[in-house]
Amino acid sequence: MAKLSDSGNPHQHISKQYDNELLDIRSRVLALGGLVEEQIEAAVVALVQGDVDLARRVIENDGKVNLMEVSIDEDCMQILALRQPSARDLRLVVAVIKTIIDLERIGDEAKRIARHAIDLSSCLSGKNQLTEVEQLGKHVRELLRNALDAFARMDVDTALHVVQCDKLVDGEYENIMRQQITYMMEDPRSTPACLGIMWTSRSLERIGDRSCNICEYVVYYARGKNIRHISIEQVQKDLLVG
Amino acid sequence: MAKLSDSGNPHQHISKQYDNELLDIRSRVLALGGLVEEQIEAAVVALVQGDVDLARRVIENDGKVNLMEVSIDEDCMQILALRQPSARDLRLVVAVIKTIIDLERIGDEAKRIARHAIDLSSCLSGKNQLTEVEQLGKHVRELLRNALDAFARMDVDTALHVVQCDKLVDGEYENIMRQQITYMMEDPRSTPACLGIMWTSRSLERIGDRSCNICEYVVYYARGKNIRHISIEQVQKDLLVG
């Protein structure tokens, strides 16, 4: 799991307890991120190995993801109400509120993949066509891990790097889609299996997008700048000037 | 566009200006919602009529959606920082922050549909297979309109009704998917067109999900209760008791 760094929170609070509350929330976001990462990994393994039991465990564990998200969200609301944070602390709490929504939805994507794993366990012919999905899953998990690392250290460079890497993941995803369309047209009987692989790949691609969302919140926290609708080149230029 | 009701905000603020700020933000959320609704409608019309120019306009207009979202988000942060709202007002501002994220992402789905409209304009054979997609689009827009109406009046009953209706939309979506899989397997040459219709339907189904998210924020605002991971029957029971 990514380790927290103090660098994102350089100024001193009068209340030690308030400091601890903020620190606690950040650690719990990372714990939630770690759980979600495990869920993605298990869902992809379940798909590739046709392991229905593992897929069922992923579906069950999604409840834990949901509980963690609700609990962190409630604590963020408490902090907003009782501590009335301003400036950097306020941006942190709002970044957390947004980040956990994305993490929870990434958990939902893992659950979707697990469902496909169950549906496909009887109709996947050979594992060869799953190699690319496995690779995509690996790369998407790296994106998420790096996004969580950026969050842990509130590190803008790591965050921007993730956004750049997501373009490579999008390319891999497009390749899988093209390949599956070719398979389906060559052998229509393979259509259900190919579609399952396409939906799974789409879920993985979306996890990449959501990892980028988290990175956008990191940049917003660190620099007070919303970069969602700006090209990465422009962002880098702006941040150098700013 | 949905009209604002005062019922959600019954208590008096000392500062008239603060009242106006909150009212202004709520109206702008509804304006953003209205624009997004138009984007969905135009994207589906572009697809069904093969109107490439209209599809291009949808893609262009997404920039307006993004600008509105960023601007409302900035003003929410200003209110949190300067007004330090508590209780109901705090829940309102946080509900707005979450709602506009979903509206902006619904805008992205409309843009995706518009892209499919351009890709499919040359390969759709007859409009008959689009009737169901058109219907799905109509129902999804109704869901969104009702979600915005629930938001405008902060009305829990309307919000819960939307969540229930989304189940019907999910059923329509499943039917389209099954139908397209059959078409593809019968005539593999139709695969690209069928996939375009499937992706479009998936985007529409996701818009329904996001409309439900907005309804969850309405319930959270009105009752201080997170209902995301609770069945609709349980929610209705809990709210009656509460």
Side-chain angles (χ1 to χ4, degrees), chain A residues 208-241:
Chain A
D209 289 347
R210 290 192 178 275
S211 304
C212 290
N213 294 345
I214 294 172
C215 291
E216 287 162 14
Y217 310 143
V218 169
V219 175
Y220 179 72
Y221 166 74
R223 302 290 170 94
K225 199 171 171 62
N226 186 322
I227 60 162
R228 181 162 180 79
H229 309 295
I230 309 173
S231 76
I232 186 87
E233 295 76 20
Q234 190 60 45
V235 170
Q236 281 165 328
K237 225 162 95 184
D238 290 355
L239 290 181
L240 273 177
V241 176

Side-chain angles (χ1 to χ4, degrees), chain B residues 64-75:
Chain B
K64 283 188 206 164
V65 173
N66 299 342
L67 283 179
M68 280 170 87
E69 190 247 341
V70 170
S71 147
I72 300 171
D73 188 69
E74 278 169 3
D75 288 354

Side-chain angles (χ1 to χ4, degrees), chain A residues 18-76:
Chain A
Y18 178 24
D19 271 344
N20 286 341
E21 284 169 14
L22 293 177
L23 208 61
D24 174 61
I25 275 191
R26 286 174 64 194
S27 326
R28 279 157 63 207
V29 171
L30 296 177
L32 173 58
L35 174 59
V36 163
E37 220 185 295
E38 284 168 24
Q39 288 279 91
I40 304 168
E41 183 170 15
V44 174
V45 168
L47 180 87
V48 172
Q49 300 184 353
D51 187 338
V52 173
D53 288 340
L54 182 59
R56 291 214 176 97
R57 280 206 296 285
V58 171
I59 294 169
E60 260 172 45
N61 275 338
D62 189 53
K64 284 189 206 163
V65 173
N66 298 341
L67 284 179
M68 281 171 87
E69 190 246 343
V70 170
S71 147
I72 300 171
D73 188 69
E74 279 170 1
D75 288 354
C76 285

